[in-house]
C-alpha cells in the first residue's frame, strides 16, 4: 500500500469523513482470507485481473477442496495447475466440476460466455512438449486471450516452421515451447517482431538434463526479444503473455 | 520469407509485371550487406524497428570501425554494447563520435530530436548493479522509450521499495535488475500488474556464482508475470521491454 | 575432554583421593552405550540439553526399536525424524507409543507436563512447505520452546507477511521455511532484529533443483543476520533456534 | 510498518493530536536518505542496533566517499568491508581516517571508548583462512562484542583443537572459519553446547571449488547446532553472532 | 529452399512453362504431412536417404499408431526407438508388426531383401552397455550398413581390445559405446585411422553421474578423430556412421 | 604383453624350441574366455590375485548364471556385488549357492578354509552407511584379509572415535566409510599413520547431493595420506586395501 | 600391434628369414622417438596420415623448439595449435619460420605445393567465433582438404544462412562453429545431408558458461547427423572432417 | 591420545613414579609449538614419519620464514609446496637455502646422504602434466623413496605405454598423473598388480573443467585398485605412495 493512498486516508480521517476503524478496514480490504494453512490472496484479482492460481502438486485433496470453495465464493474464474487425473477425480466426486484437461493437467472454472481477445501464438517444438503447451493454452484462455497453438515445428525440419510465418507475423506475443536443445526459441526470436516468451521443457535425455540444456540455450539466445520462464512453466509464460496481449481485458 | 509473399511474387512474374531478376532482388532486399567477416542484417530494422545492435566485446577495433561505417551509411541510429572505454577512445579518434556512457559501456548514435514515449521503470537492487541497469536504460532510450531508473531498492530495506509503489503502478513494463539472491524480482512481481522482466547480475560472491543464484531465484519466482533474461543482459531486457511498451514507435 | 579436567583428575589420583580405575571411569562417564551397529551418545544430553535425535530414514524397524529402547531407558524425552507412517505403525505395534505427527514425519516421546519458554517464530512461505515447518515445530517444542507457526506468507503477496510484523518484532529468533526462490528469508532478514535461520525446502520444479535455488538464494541474501541450514532440515533449524532462545531451559 | 502502529497514528490523527502531514513524516522517519545512486538505510541502526554496513567491492571512490560522509553525519560507528588497500589509501587522502585492517580488508569508524561484552569465539582452521576470520573479528568488535580468535586448529592435527576445549565451553556463540573440506565445523559442532556459525572459505584448490566443497560439507554436517553463511562471509557470521551474544548492547 | 532453385522456378513461371500454382506446389513438395499433433517430415527421406525416425518415449499409443500408419503409407522402411516392450505389444495387437529388439527397444519396418554395404564396427565396453550398442546396430542396419558388434572390450582388460585390432583396421567408421569413465573412446581413438563416434552411456553409479563422467571424458579425449553424441544416443551415432560409411546407398 | 617377454618368445622360436603356433597360444594364454556378450578375464586372477569381480546391477539372470558357471569352472573364489535379494533368490534356485549378505548385497563363493591375514580396519560413520561398509568387508575377506569393522563413529560424537585409537594404531590400512559431510576421513587421516582409503556414501539429503558433498570433502581433505574412491564403492576401497595389506597372500 | 602381424613375424623368424633382433626392431618401428619429457609418436603419420599435432599452450619455448626440430627431421608437414603470438615470435627468432595465423593461433609447416581435395564447409555463427573457425580451417588445409569458410550466419538472421544452402548441399562434410546457444548446429543438421561436426565456442556470457550452454545444446540437438567435439576444439573437428572428406589423400 | 596410554599415566601417577605436572607435560609432548598465526604440528613427524608439509600458496614471506625457522630448529627435513619462484627468491635472500625445483614449485630441506628405498613409479600422461608429476617426485624422494618418473605415455599412443610394462610390473606402487580425460589411470589400473594412485590434473580446456573431467573419469574407473586424490595434488599422491612403499623407512 503506497504512501499516497495512505495519505488520502489520513486526510479523510483528519477531516472526520472516515473513522479510524473504517480506515484500517480499507487497508485490509485489499487483502486475503485466512484458512490457517493457506491465505487466499484476493488482492491478486484486483491487481492482476485474475485470482491467485492454485498449484496443486503438493496439496492434499482436503486442502484443494477448501481452497476451491473459498475461491469460488468470491471469484467466478479459477485455475488449478499440475492437478493429476487421480486428484481431479476425487475433487469431481466432491462436486467440484470444472473443465479438466488431462494433457495440460489443469482444472478450470469459468463462465461459459467468456470473450477472448487479442492473439497469442504458441509454437510447440515436438509432440512430447504438448503438455506444457496445453497448460499455457488453458491458462491464456481462462484469462481471456485468443490463442493459436501450432505443434511439431522443431528446427530439424525448418520448412515446417517457415510455413507458419504468417501466424508469426500476426501474433501480438509468441510463446515458444521446446525441450532438447531449445533452438526453436532463437529461430523464432530471429523471425518475430513481437515479444517471444520461451518455455524450456524437461523433454529429452542425457545432457538435456531435464530441461536445463534448453533453458541455458534459450537464455543465451543470440536473438533479442526473447525472455524465459522456468522449465515446464507453461502457466507462467501464458500469464505474462496475457499481460502483454490484452491489458484492458485482463484487468 | 513466407509462402504467401512468395506466391504474390510468382503471380506478378507470371503476369509479366515483374521480371525474374527483380523478383529475386526483392527477395534479397529484406536482407543484409556482407563485409566478409560479418553480414549486417538490414532486415532487422524493418522487422524489429531497430537495426542490429553491435556486441563489441570480442571484436577488434578494425572490425568495429567497419561495422559502424556500414551501419551508419544506412541507419541513423546505432547502439554498441560492452564497449570498453579503451576501445571507445580508439573509435572516437577515428571520428566515430557517438554518446558514450562509461558506466553502461555503451556507445549510441542517434538523432538529437528523438521522441520518447511510454513508461518503462527500471528498478535496481544495489549500487553495484547500476552498470547493467544503465545498459538497459541506454538501450530503451535509443529505441524511443521513456525510462525511469530507481537505484538501491533491494529488499533488505523494504521501505525503500515500498516508497516506489506509485512508480510501479504507473509503469507499462518493469525491468528489475538485481544480483546476489535476486529476491527483488519476486517482491516486485507480487506488487506489479504489468510484465516484469528480471535481469540477474553477476554481482555477489561465493554461492552467488557470478549471477547463477540470482538467475535460479528469478526463474523459480513464486510471483507470476516475471520472465527472465541472461545474467547481466540489460540490453536484452530493455529490447523486450521496448517491444511491450510502444510497438507503434518501435517500428 | 580438555586438559584442565584431566589435570584435576591427575591431581586427585596423585593425592590418593581417586583410584586410577575410578578416574578412567569418570573419563568414560561422559560417554555412550554401544549396541554394535550404533553407539548411543549419552554425552549429548549433558552437553546439549537434549539426547541424540534419531534420523529414521535409512534405519530398519529392528534398528529403530533397539535404539528407542536403549534411549528411553535413560532419557524421558526422545525425538525421531523422517519416520514414515508405515514405520511408525510398525513401532506402535511394538508398544513404542509416542506422539506421531504425520505431516512432520516425527515421533516424540516426552513427559506430559513439559514447560515451554521463550518465543520462536516459524514463518512458512507456502502450504507445500508445511511438512518442513512442522518438523521444526515438533523439534523446538520437545526441546522446551514456545513456538508460533504462521503459514503461507510468501513474498508474492507481501501484505500477508506485513500483517505479521508484530510477531516478527516479538520473536527471540525466527525460522523462515521457503522453497522455490526462497526470497522470504531476505525480506524477513530485512525486517527482523533477531537471528533469522533460513531453511530452504525442496518444493518447486525445474530450476528450483530440489531446493538448490532456494539454498543459494538464502546464502546470498543481501540481508544480514540470516544463517542457513541444509535443504528440508527443519530439525537443524529448530535445534539452533532452541540454543538461541532458551539456553537455561535447554540445559 | 505494521498495522498496529498505523492504527495508532490513525487514532491520533482522528483525535486531532496529530496532523496528517506529521503522521506521514512519522511514517517516513523510519527511513533512509537518498543520494541518488544509493539510499542509506537509517532505520537499520534503529532496528538492528548498527547502521548499514558498506560493501566496498564494486563501489567507486566517489561513491564510497559520499556514502561515508552521509553515514558519519548521523552515526558515530561505521564499517566498510572488502575495501582494498588501494581504495583505503585514496579515502585516507580525503580525510576519511578510520582504522584499516589490511588482512581483514575492513575500515572501521568507532568511538575510542567502545565497551565490549559477551564472548564470541572464532576458530580458524588454517593460516590461509585468517583474512575471513579477521573480517569476522572486526565486525563483531565494532558491534560491541568481546572476541577471541584462535588460529590453525584444523582437524588434521586434532590435539591442537582439543587444547581449546576450555574456550569452546566458555563461549556464548562460536564462529568456525574453514576452507578445504570444512570438517572443523562438524567436529566443533559435536563438542560445543552453543550455536556454531560456520563460514566456508574459498581457500583450497581443485575440488575445493572456491569454497563450495567446504560449504556443502558444513551444510551436510552430522552435528546439530551448526548454521552456515555464504563463502568468505566473515561479516555475516559475526553479525548473527552479535545478535546472539549481546542483544541488549547491540541495540 | 535455396535461391538458385527458386530462381529457376521464377524463370519457368516467367517463360510460361510453369503456372504459379504448380510452382508453389513444387515448393511444398519437399514437405511434410500434417496430422495436427505431429507433422511428418517427408523431405527427410529425400534429403537424408531415410525417413524421420520416431522417438517413442513420450508418445501415446494413439499417437504412435497414427504416425506409423502415416509413415508406412509412403515409406517402406521405418524405425521407432525407445519403444518399451509394453507399448510394442500394444502396437503389435493393432497389426503393426515390425521386428522388435527388446534389448535395443527398437521396432523396425523394412523390406526383407535389404542389402547391406560397407563396414561399421561397434565396440561396446561392458555387458551393461549393450542396449545402447544394440540401438546403434539396429539403426545402422535398417539404413543399409554392414555392422559388426563386439562386446565387453573395456580397457580394464586391455588384451581383449587388442585382439580386435584387425576389426579396427578394417572398419570404415567405428562407434565406441562405453559408460563409467568412457576411456575406451580415447584408446580406440589412438589406435584407429577412421572416424570414431563415441557414445557415453548412463551405466555406472556415483560420480558417473548418469553418463556425464563418460561424456566429459570422451569430449576431453587426447586422441584426435573422436566426436561425441548425447548420452545413450546409440541412434544418433549410427545415423552419422551411416552418413560416413555409405553415402551412395544411404541416399 | 611387454617386449621383453615377446623377445624371449622370438628367441625360443628362432632356436626351434618353440613352434610359431605354440608361441601365439602362449600369448593368448594370459587371456580370457569369450561368451559373446561377455569376455571373462582370466588374466585378472594371475595379475591381481583374484578373478574379475562381477558387478550384477545391470545384468540379467541369464547373463549372471552364464558368467558364474564360466568363472567357477576355473576359479574357486568368486564375488558378485550389487546383487539384489530378488536376483540372488533366482540364482539360488539354479543351484548357485554361495554366501549371500543381504546388507552388503554380495554373493561370495569361496573355499571354507580360506586363511585371513593382515589387518584392515573399516570405520563406518553412521548406521546408514553400513551397507557400503559391509560390501567392503565382504570383498576384503574373500580376498584373504583379516578385517575389523567398527560402526557409528561419526565426528559429531568425537569420543566414540577416540576410543578406537588403539585399533587405528594397529591397522595396516584403514577404510573410512562416511556420508553426509564425510568429515570422518579428515579426522582419521589426521590420526592414522597408515594409508586411509575414504569411501563417500550416498547417505544424506539436500546438499549431500547423493554423496557428492562427502566426495568433495574427502578429496579436499587437509590430512595427507587419504585417497578416495567413487561414491558407495566399498568394493573398490577393499580391493586396494587388500593390495596394500597382504601382497603375498593376495597373489 | 595385432596378433596377425605378430604371427607373420613369428613365422618368418621360425623359417629363418628374419632374425629375432630384426623382428623386435620391426615391432618398434611403428614407434616413437623419446626426448625425455616427450615421446614423439611417429606411428601417427603412418596410421592417421598426419604426424602428431603439437598443442602449444602449456609448453615452454625450449620444449617447443626441441619438438619442432625432432618432428621436422622426419616429417615435412607440422602443425602447432594454441600458440600465442609471443611464443611464435620467439620460435621465429630461432629460425622456425612456418606460416603463423594470428587469429587461429596456429603455426604451420608444409610444402608449398600441397594439393587440396574434397569439400569441407565451415559455417561460423558470429564474428567472435572466427578464431575457432580459423583453427579448423588451418588444420583442414594442412591435412590436404579444400575448405570453404562462411562467417556470421547465426540463426538470429536466418536469411543469411538460407543463402548458403547451395554450399551446404555441395559439401562432403560440414563443421558448424557457434557459441552462445549454439542453435546453428541444429538448424544446419536439419538442412544438410552429410555429417555435421559441431564445435561449441566459449563465446558468450552469463549462462553461456564459457561454452557449456552451446555444448549441451549441440549434444541435445533434435537433428540427427550431428556429432560434437570439445568447446573451442576447432582442430579436433577439422581432424575428423578430414578423415571423412578424403581418406585416400589423408593417408 | 587413547585411553590406554592415559591409564598408564594414571597408574604411574598413582604409584608415585610420576608427578601430575610431568604427566601433563607428557600429554602435551606429542604436541605442537604455537607461533600465534600457526601451530606447528611436531606430532606429525612422530606419527607419520615426516614433519608437517608447508603449503605455501596463501602464506606471506614473513609467515613462511617464521614457519621454516621453527621447523628447522627441530627437524632436519622440510618440504614446501606451491612455492612460486618469486617467493623462493625472497626466502633464499633470507638464508633459507634448500633445493628449489622450479617446475614442481617445491623447496626441500634434507640431509645430503638420505637413503632411498623401494620403488614408486610415476607415469605422466603428457608434457603439460609434468609440474604435478614433479611435485609428486620431490615429495616421494624427500620421504625416502626410490622414484622412477616416465613422461608422455598418454593413451592416444598406446605403444608408448606398453613399452613401460616392465617398469609397471616392478613397481611397488604406481602414481598416474593425467589431465584431459584421465584415461591413463584406467588403462594402467587394468595392467598393474599393485595399488594405483591417480592424480587428475587441471590440464585441458573446455569440458576438462580444470581437471573435473579427469577426476570423474578416474573415480569412475572400471579398473579396480585405483584410488584418487584431489586435482593437481601430486604431494598427496606421493605421501600415500610413500606410506605404501616403505613403512619402515618412512617412520
Amino acid at each position: 500500500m503506497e504512501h499516497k493512498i495512505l495519505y488520502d486516508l489520513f486526510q479523510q480521517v483528519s477531516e472526520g469523513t472516515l473513522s479510524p476503524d473504517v480506515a484500517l478496514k480499507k487497508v485490509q480490504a485489499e487483502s486475503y482470507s485466512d484458512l490457517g494453512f493457506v491465505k487466499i490472496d484476493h488482492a491478486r484479482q484486483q491487481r492482476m485481473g485474475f485470482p491467485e492460481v492454485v498449484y496443486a502438486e503438493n496439496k492434499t485433496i482436503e486442502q484443494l477442496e477448501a481452497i476451491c470453495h473459498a475461491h469460488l465464493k468470491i471469484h467466478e474464474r479459477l485455475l488449478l495447475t499440475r492437478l493429476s487425473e487421480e486428484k481431479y477425480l476425487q475433487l469431481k466426486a466432491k462436486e467440484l466440476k470444472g473443465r479438466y484437461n488431462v494433457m495440460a493437467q489443469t482444472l478450470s472454472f469459468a463462465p461459459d460466455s467468456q470473450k477472448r481477445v487479442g492473439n497469442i501464438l504458441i509454437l510447440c517444438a515436438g509432440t512430447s512438449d504438448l503438455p506444457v503447451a496445453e497448460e499455457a493454452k488453458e491458462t491464456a484462455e481462462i484469462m481471456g486471450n485468443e490463442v493459436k497453438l501450432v505443434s511439431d515445428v522443431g528446427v530439424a525440419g525448418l520448412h515446417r516452421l517457415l510455413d507458419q510465418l504468417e501466424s508469426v507475423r500476426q501474433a501480438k506475443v509468441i510463446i515458444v515451447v521446446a525441450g532438447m536443445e531449445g533452438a526453436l526459441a532463437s529461430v523464432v526470436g530471429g523471425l518475430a517482431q513481437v515479444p517471444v516468451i520461451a518455455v524450456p521443457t524437461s523433454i529429452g535425455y542425457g545432457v538435456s538434463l531435464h530441461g536445463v540444456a534448453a533453458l541455458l540455450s534459450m537464455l543465451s539466445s543470440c536473438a533479442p526479444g526473447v525472455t524465459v520462464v522456468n522449465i515446464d512453466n507453461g502457466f507462467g509464460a501464458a500469464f505474462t503473455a496475457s499481460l502483454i496481449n490484452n491489458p484492458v481485458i485482463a484487468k
Side-chain angles (χ1 to χ4, degrees), chain A:
Chain A
M1 170 159 279
E2 65 262 59
H3 285 172
K4 193 181 161 298
I5 293 180
L6 207 54
Y7 184 75
D8 290 346
L9 291 178
F10 281 137
Q11 281 251 333
Q12 292 172 47
V13 172
S14 166
E15 292 159 3
T17 58
L18 193 69
S19 76
D21 291 283
V22 175
L24 185 60
K25 283 217 180 82
K26 272 180 186 282
V27 171
Q28 288 170 333
E30 295 192 15
S31 194
Y32 54 87
S33 58
D34 195 334
L35 306 190
F37 65 92
V38 71
K39 296 178 177 49
I40 297 176
D41 187 0
H42 300 315
R44 192 78 62 93
Q45 160 82 31
Q46 187 175 345
R47 201 172 64 242
M48 305 295 265
F50 195 78
E52 200 178 359
V53 169
V54 180
Y55 182 80
E57 189 148 306
N58 298 288
K59 299 201 173 67
T60 64
I61 285 295
E62 291 67 34
Q63 291 175 332
L64 290 172
E65 197 188 353
I67 292 171
C68 286
H69 285 306
H71 258 286
L72 292 172
K73 249 183 251 167
I74 301 176
H75 309 292
E76 61 178 347
R77 290 180 299 166
L78 174 63
L79 177 65
L80 288 82
T81 62
R82 306 270 175 133
L83 183 76
S84 66
E85 191 168 16
E86 188 195 334
K87 280 187 182 173
Y88 159 62
L89 292 174
Q90 289 180 271
L91 288 181
K92 194 182 169 190
K94 291 167 191 270
E95 300 302 309
L96 280 162
K97 294 178 174 172
R99 184 163 62 89
Y100 186 67
N101 178 329
V102 66
M103 184 168 270
Q105 303 268 299
T106 55
L107 180 62
S108 312
F109 299 88
D112 291 346
S113 58
Q114 183 167 12
K115 204 179 131 197
R116 291 185 190 141
V117 303
N119 185 339
I120 296 178
L121 174 65
I122 303 176
L123 294 171
C124 184
T127 308
S128 307
D129 302 312
L130 270 176
V132 177
E134 284 284 334
E135 186 189 80
K137 187 162 181 279
E138 286 285 337
T139 302
E141 285 184 353
I142 201 177
M143 293 179 77
N145 302 279
E146 197 62 54
V147 181
K148 178 176 182 187
L149 167 53
V150 181
S151 178
D152 205 22
V153 287
V155 300
L158 203 59
H159 48 302
R160 296 180 293 197
L161 173 63
L162 296 180
D163 277 4
Q164 302 296 330
L165 284 183
E166 190 59 33
S167 298
V168 167
R169 199 150 299 179
Q170 286 168 356
K172 285 189 63 181
V173 51
I174 300 172
I175 295 171
V176 171
V177 179
M180 301 180 84
E181 91 283 47
L184 185 60
S186 292
V187 174
V188 172
L191 295 169
Q193 50 201 313
V194 294
V196 173
I197 302 170
V199 192
T201 76
S202 52
I203 292 301
Y205 60 92
V207 297
S208 291
L209 297 172
H210 308 294
V212 170
L215 175 79
L216 297 183
S217 171
M218 287 165 165
L219 284 166
S220 305
S221 175
C222 55
V226 179
T227 59
V228 186
V229 294
N230 195 359
I231 296 162
D232 291 337
N233 190 6
F235 157 68
F239 193 98
T240 288
S242 175
L243 291 180
I244 296 172
N245 181 51
N246 58 354
V248 182
I249 300 302
K251 280 154 229 160

